[in-house]
Structure formats: C-alpha cells, structure tokens
Amino acid sequence: MGASILDYTIIPLILPFVGLWWLVAFIAGWLATFAIIPSALLAQRLYWACPFIPHIWGQFGPVRGLLVRIGFEASYCINVTTRFLTLPLRRQLPAFHIVGFPKCGTTSLAEHLKRHPGLSGVCGLPYHDTLSKESHFFAGVLGRGSMAHSAAAYRSFFPTFVTRWWAEAVVGVEKWMCFDACPVHACLPFVAERIAALSPNAKIIIMMRDPVPGVFSAEVMMRNMGVPLPWTLSDQVQDNDSRFKITKEEYELWETLKTLGPTEALPAAMPELFYFRPSSILQCGQYATLVEPYMRNFPPENILFLKFEDFVANTEAVVLQVLQFVGADMRFYSYAPLPPSMQNDYKGRQMHPTVKEKLRTMFLPGNRKLYEMLRRDMAWGDVERAV
C-alpha cells in the first residue's frame, strides 16, 4: 500500500519540482561552460584518464578538429555539472558490472541490455560510444584521489529515481537496475576491491576471447582513433624484440597497481603507460591473473564468465543468459540484432604470422591456468602446437 501511494501519488506530485531542479542544474552546467575554468578542469581530468580521446580530434583536421573539441568539452562539462547538481536524486549504484575485457563484445552486450526497459547504463554522452556505456570512474576520470573511490561521486554517473519510478510504476517491470560496462576495469587489478567496497553484492560479468586476436584488435582500435603508436603487431618478430619486453617503469607500475589500496591515489603515469605501451596491451590478455581479484572479492554465484566466440555465434542466447543472471524481468525483452557499425574496421591490417606464433606461446601458460580456474576449456587457438 505504501509503495502504491508513493508511486502513484507522491512522486507524480513532485515531478514538476524535480523537472525544475534538473532544468536549473542544466542551465548552471551551461554557465559553467562559459566560465571556461570548470570545462577545462573536467576535460583535463578526462584526458588524463582517457588519453586516447584528444587524438580523435586530429582526424578532423586543425580547424574542424578544434571546433569539435570545443563542442565536446562544452557538452561534457554540461553533462558532468548537471549530474553532480542533481546528485541527491541519484541514489543508485550499479547492480552489476560488465568489467571486461577490451574488444570482447562489451559494447554490443551493453547495447542489447539497454534495450530492456528495466535496465539503464551510465548517464554519459549519448553520441560518444565510450562515454555512453562506461564510466571510467575507477580509472580516475573524475580525479586520481578521493574522486576515484567515492560512492557519492560514482552515483553521479547513474540515472535519477525518476528513471526507476518510470520503469517500475509506469512500465511495470519487476525491478529496475543500472549497470556500468567499462572493459578496462578488468585490466586494472585494484578495481575489484573498490567495486566490492562500494557494492559487495554486485554481480560481475567478464567477457573473454582468444587473447591473440584480442590484443591485435585493441591495437587496431587505437589506430582507428588516431593514436600514433610507435609499434605494431603487423611487423615480423625480431631478435630481442622490445614489443614483447617490459621496461622497469612498466613493471613498477603493474606491481603498484596490484597492491594499490582501496583509497590510495592512482599513479600519475598510469593512463599513458596503460593505453599506449605494448606490454600493457599484452598484459590485458593475461586473463587468469586479472580475474583473480574478482574471484577473491565476489562469491562464485555473483560472477558470470562469457566467451566472446559464443556471443558472436549465438548472441541472443548469451544476452538471455545475462538477463537471467542479473535478475531482469524477462517479460519485457525482445531480441533484435544490432547494426553492424560496431564491428572493428581493420582496414586491411593483419597480424604478422611470426607475432601470432609468439603470442600463442606467450599466452599458453595463462590460458591453461584460466581453464583450470574456470574448469572449462575455452579452446582458444592451436595451443598444443604452440608448445
């Protein structure tokens, strides 16, 4: 009875005031943009956490690129400011996380899930593929210090109570939920503990694929965004090949990330070393090591491991499996294929055969350890031939 009074009387009565609150926050976001400093500060933190974004503007040319960048930074400032000024209306943390891995179908899965009226992703920029599905919160998009682990700051990424009310009281779904789909969270070993600290009962979805084509797909994605990587997996393997070695600086970073406490500041060099160094991209293919923190911090029944190859072969079945796993109301979902625009454009690029064989050998021990951990043979490549 109480829920009915709240849903059908009290909330409808306060909706005009909520709408006015949001409008004032939106106008304040515009004013903050014209003040320049807030926009510049937010953009600086965003580009620190996601250093690949500024390279995108270069693909538009000097003049158009500058205009696109100004427009993007203004809309980003409005978005973040509006979210924080309406923070008291945003009470929910994610019920589940799609934490990884990169280039394993997380974007497509998130798009399928957002078609369910009882599921919502982050309140990012709808026209930006990355910022419309993934928060990058734990990677420091709002700052390296307390803003990378604050529950209140994390809540700012997700919808207001009005979205929940609409889904449950108006549409009629049994339970509304929000989620974060940030694939780099699986690659950063400190994130699992931080998610557990904020949402100990959250469910975790981990998508994986054969790491050999996976790491090459990650390189292609970076190049398609305009990142001028000084290395490529398309070149033949050489003696003492630096692509397959880790520098002292890179080693120290990964050791720091493994022991980083839940409230410690993120290392200043983390994004640049993480996104642009070949050792980091290869490290993201060491699934066994990277899923261990999630298996330590969450019970087995709260973790769902998905195989990218299964997702491609039978997308509908995997989406339904995920919906059942998170407890979504199955009455309100009807599967429909996504447009092919989400597929990676390789533009004729190919991994060199010698690199492929090198990576098969490199990933073999980790793959076998993963199979043992999951009690499942993923059948990734000709592993026996790589021995």
Side-chain angles (χ1 to χ4, degrees):
M1 184 63 179
S4 297
I5 293 175
L6 179 66
D7 290 340
Y8 299 112
T9 304
I10 297 179
I11 291 182
L13 285 176
I14 67 174
L15 280 180
F17 301 98
V18 173
L20 181 61
W21 185 345
W22 182 89
L23 180 60
V24 171
F26 182 73
I27 294 173
W30 271 94
L31 295 177
T33 298
F34 287 114
I36 300 177
I37 294 178
S39 180
L41 178 61
L42 288 171
Q44 181 185 46
R45 295 187 175 190
L46 171 66
Y47 296 154
W48 176 83
C50 305
F52 52 85
I53 292 180
H55 293 282
I56 299 174
W57 318 137
Q59 298 180 306
F60 294 98
V63 177
R64 187 184 173 199
L66 178 61
L67 294 176
V68 171
R69 178 171 185 162
I70 292 173
F72 169 82
E73 292 179 2
S75 61
Y76 180 70
C77 178
I78 294 170
N79 176 268
V80 176
T81 304
T82 302
R83 292 190 341 242
F84 268 93
L85 291 178
T86 56
L87 186 59
L89 308 177
R90 304 174 188 273
R91 306 305 304 166
Q92 295 294 125
L93 286 172
F96 63 95
H97 298 253
I98 305 173
V99 297
F101 279 87
K103 308 312 299 175
C104 290
T106 58
T107 299
S108 295
L109 177 60
E111 288 302 313
H112 280 291
L113 297 180
K114 285 192 290 185
R115 290 180 171 184
H116 191 294
L119 300 178
S120 300
V122 300
C123 295
L125 301 179
Y127 58 83
H128 193 282
D129 288 344
T130 299
L131 299 181
S132 66
K133 79 176 181 75
E134 51 199 65
S135 69
H136 286 269
F137 170 73
F138 296 104
V141 73
L142 295 178
R144 294 173 45 219
S146 62
M147 296 296 277
H149 58 78
S150 163
Y154 196 29
R155 288 203 326 267
S156 73
F157 285 92
F158 303 99
T160 68
F161 75 90
V162 176
T163 300
R164 180 174 189 168
W165 168 80
W166 182 268
E168 295 180 356
V170 179
V171 178
V173 300
E174 184 175 340
K175 180 182 179 182
W176 172 85
M177 293 174 283
C178 57
F179 68 94
D180 193 357
C182 193
V184 300
H185 284 169
C187 299
L188 300 172
F190 61 88
V191 172
E193 185 178 10
R194 298 192 176 202
I195 293 178
L198 298 184
S199 305
N201 297 319
K203 292 192 174 181
I204 305 296
I205 299 168
I206 302 177
M207 302 185 74
M208 298 175 289
R209 70 186 294 184
D210 184 339
V212 175
V215 296
F216 186 60
S217 182
E219 179 197 336
V220 170
M221 178 184 68
M222 284 293 170
R223 294 193 180 280
N224 287 348
M225 288 191 293
V227 178
L229 298 174
W231 54 270
T232 177
L233 299 177
S234 296
D235 290 343
Q236 183 176 357
V237 174
Q238 305 293 329
D239 293 337
N240 298 316
D241 202 318
S242 61
R243 292 173 296 176
F244 308 104
K245 295 182 177 181
I246 184 169
T247 66
K248 179 182 178 182
E249 180 185 29
E250 294 160 359
Y251 174 80
E252 290 176 348
L253 171 69
W254 283 102
E255 290 303 304
T256 299
L257 297 182
K258 290 176 184 178
T259 59
L260 195 68
T263 60
E264 289 187 74
L266 305 180
M270 183 185 77
E272 286 285 337
L273 296 178
F274 176 77
Y275 281 106
F276 301 150
R277 300 292 179 92
S279 63
S280 294
I281 291 182
L282 297 181
Q283 177 65 27
C284 289
Q286 298 291 352
Y287 302 143
T289 300
L290 295 172
V291 302
E292 282 181 334
Y294 287 93
M295 298 178 77
R296 286 198 308 268
N297 285 278
F298 294 91
E301 61 271 19
N302 280 31
I303 306 177
L304 177 64
F305 292 97
L306 298 175
K307 186 178 175 182
F308 171 73
E309 293 82 357
D310 293 340
F311 181 64
V312 173
N314 194 342
T315 304
E316 181 177 5
V318 173
V319 173
L320 292 175
Q321 180 185 7
V322 172
L323 291 173
Q324 292 174 345
F325 171 71
V326 301
D329 192 333
M330 303 299 289
R331 299 173 299 165
F332 291 86
Y333 183 75
S334 178
Y335 173 80
L338 297 175
S341 58
M342 292 186 179
Q343 297 176 358
N344 213 2
D345 184 3
Y346 283 78
K347 300 180 179 180
R349 302 185 186 98
Q350 292 183 337
M351 178 185 291
H352 197 279
T354 58
V355 173
K356 185 178 295 185
E357 289 302 312
K358 176 76 173 180
L359 294 182
R360 287 269 176 241
T361 303
M362 181 181 296
F363 288 127
L364 178 59
N367 286 350
R368 285 181 168 170
K369 182 179 179 182
L370 180 71
Y371 300 167
E372 293 176 359
M373 293 168 61
L374 304 185
R375 298 180 182 179
R376 177 184 178 186
D377 188 344
M378 295 294 192
W380 283 331
D382 189 1
V383 294
E384 294 300 327
R385 188 163 57 88
V387 177

